[in-house]
């Protein structure tokens, strides 16, 4: 498999093709949420091993934070596909919301924007 940069639409299409090769197809939204929750827990555990105080047991296989984030991403894309959610549109809608709601929430790097806030 060659490595290439993909946008969200291409990722969604690739996973849709992958899932459709199996008779089972997509699991129910509740089952998918359970899987996403499980993958998020594994990510939390790995972050705790890398950046927290909890050390891995000698019997535990090494994993990376990137691997666990990848698992969360895949579970998220599969859920979005099954619910017919366009992740590109969802991302754009959320960025619009963040840019409006949080425009002055945190201290800005660009001081000119602070001046706009005062006006």
């Amino acid at each position: 498999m060659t490595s290439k940069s993909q946008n969200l639409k291409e990722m969604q299409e690739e996973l849709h093709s992958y899932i459709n090769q199996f008779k089972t197809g997509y699991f129910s939204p509740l089952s998918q949420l359970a899987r996403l929750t499980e993958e998020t827990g594994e990510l939390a555990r790995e972050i705790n091993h890398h950046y927290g105080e909890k050390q891995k047991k000698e019997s535990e296989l090494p994993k990376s934070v990137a691997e666990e984030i990848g698992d969360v991403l895949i579970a998220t894309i599969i859920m979005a596909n099954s619910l017919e959610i366009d992740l590109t549109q969802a991302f754009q809608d959320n960025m619009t919301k963040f840019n409006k709601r949080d425009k002055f929430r945190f201290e800005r790097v660009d001081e000119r924007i602070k001046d706009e806030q005062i006006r």
Side-chain angles (χ1 to χ4, degrees), residues 89-102:
Q89 188 63 54
F91 175 81
Q92 291 167 346
D93 291 346
N94 275 272
M95 285 307 299
T96 298
K97 176 180 70 175
F98 294 152
N99 284 321
K100 286 180 181 176
R101 182 187 69 198
D102 298 336

Side-chain angles (χ1 to χ4, degrees), residues 13 22 55 83:
E13 289 170 354
F22 304 107
Q55 299 295 311
L83 298 172

Side-chain angles (χ1 to χ4, degrees), residues 34-88:
R35 178 164 180 245
L36 180 58
T37 301
E38 177 187 348
E39 297 297 353
T40 303
E42 290 176 11
L43 172 60
R45 182 176 175 84
E46 202 60 36
I47 286 176
N48 194 21
H49 289 314
H50 282 275
Y51 303 104
E53 292 73 33
K54 186 170 188 207
Q55 299 295 311
K56 274 192 182 230
K57 298 174 188 171
E58 286 184 27
S59 61
E60 289 183 278
L61 296 173
K63 290 187 178 181
S64 70
V65 171
E67 177 183 356
E68 296 303 337
I69 286 178
D71 289 344
V72 169
L73 177 63
I74 296 291
T76 301
I77 293 172
I78 289 171
M79 179 175 261
N81 282 355
S82 73
L83 298 172
E84 298 181 0
I85 294 170
D86 177 342
L87 284 174
T88 300

Side-chain angles (χ1 to χ4, degrees), residues 102-118:
D102 298 336
K103 185 172 185 178
F104 301 115
R105 184 173 181 189
F106 303 103
E107 184 178 355
R108 303 292 298 222
V109 174
D110 186 343
E111 292 294 324
R112 291 176 296 166
I113 294 177
K114 267 189 182 174
D115 293 339
E116 288 179 24
Q117 183 180 9
I118 294 170

